[in-house]
Amino acid sequence: MKRIAKIDVNKCPQDHTCPAVRVCPVGALTQDKRNAAPTVHQDICIGCGRCAMTCPKKALYMAQEV
């Protein structure tokens, strides 16, 4: 099974530019507005975990794809 990034929007403050978007090596994270939670594009995510390590609120996390 593949690991993929997921987001818990209840933990995401959604009041800043998401720092995890910059660290994704394949562009699997996007953020439409500065004050919005990022979107994880599961079809692009390679499961490296960089976004989860970068997220200051631990709103991004890694999970097993089902």
Side-chain angles (χ1 to χ4, degrees), residues 1 3-6 8 11 14 20-21 24 26 29-30 34-37 47 51 54 61 63-64 66:
M1 276 200 204
R3 287 176 9 128
I4 54 173
K6 296 212 173 228
D8 181 344
K11 288 184 178 180
Q14 302 179 44
V21 172
C24 181
V26 295
L29 286 174
T30 58
R34 181 181 178 274
N35 294 333
C51 60
T54 303
Y61 62 96
Q64 292 295 324
V66 287

Side-chain angles (χ1 to χ4, degrees), residues 1-59:
M1 276 200 204
K2 178 182 164 185
R3 287 176 9 128
I4 54 173
K6 296 212 173 228
I7 185 161
D8 181 344
V9 293
N10 295 315
K11 288 184 178 180
C12 180
Q14 302 179 44
D15 63 354
H16 63 282
T17 301
C18 178
V21 172
R22 294 190 310 265
V23 301
C24 181
V26 295
L29 286 174
T30 58
Q31 187 177 22
D32 292 333
K33 299 177 186 170
R34 181 181 178 274
N35 294 333
T39 300
V40 180
H41 301 279
Q42 305 299 342
D43 55 326
I44 300 172
C45 180
I46 60 171
C48 70
R50 289 182 188 176
C51 60
M53 290 184 282
T54 303
C55 181
K57 298 291 185 178
K58 305 299 180 203

